[in-house]
Amino acid sequence: KVIEFDVKNNAKDKIEYLEITVVYYNNGYIVGVESEYGAGIEPNENTLIKIGYPLDGEYKDIIFDDYKIYINEACSYNKEIRDER
């Protein structure tokens, strides 16, 4: 089981690296956290992100009633940096 959602790059630069985390809640308490990564998202391009449901130590589904999606990091490399020592 997964949660699927689209991420759109609204910037003028390519997103080279993207880190997204889903925090799962049950009755207001955090019951799970899962992360996923993306890369190479061109300007005005959408990409589908899939993040798995949380599992316990025996790989059984953890029950949740809400979740929030967070973008932890998005990086673009739009300038060349040179070491001129």
Side-chain angles (χ1 to χ4, degrees):
K1 298 176 187 175
V2 297
I3 291 177
E4 296 182 3
F5 52 93
D6 277 321
V7 173
K8 182 174 183 177
N9 179 1
N10 291 325
K12 294 179 183 177
D13 297 314
K14 179 180 179 179
I15 295 176
E16 301 290 344
Y17 173 79
L18 178 70
E19 179 184 355
I20 296 177
T21 297
V22 176
V23 178
Y24 296 92
Y25 298 88
N26 192 27
N27 295 320
Y29 293 96
I30 296 173
V31 295
V33 177
E34 298 290 333
S35 294
E36 188 58 59
Y37 306 90
I41 306 168
E42 297 291 338
N44 297 310
E45 180 181 283
N46 287 9
T47 189
L48 181 65
I49 301 288
K50 297 178 182 182
I51 298 183
Y53 281 20
L55 302 174
D56 67 14
E58 296 178 0
Y59 300 102
K60 294 181 182 175
D61 291 341
I62 294 174
I63 296 171
F64 65 95
D65 58 15
D66 195 14
Y67 63 88
K68 292 184 181 177
I69 300 169
Y70 297 93
I71 297 176
N72 298 329
E73 186 174 5
C75 297
S76 290
Y77 306 110
N78 57 8
K79 288 186 179 181
E80 180 178 333
I81 299 173
R82 294 184 293 176
D83 184 357
E84 298 185 15
R85 285 186 237 178

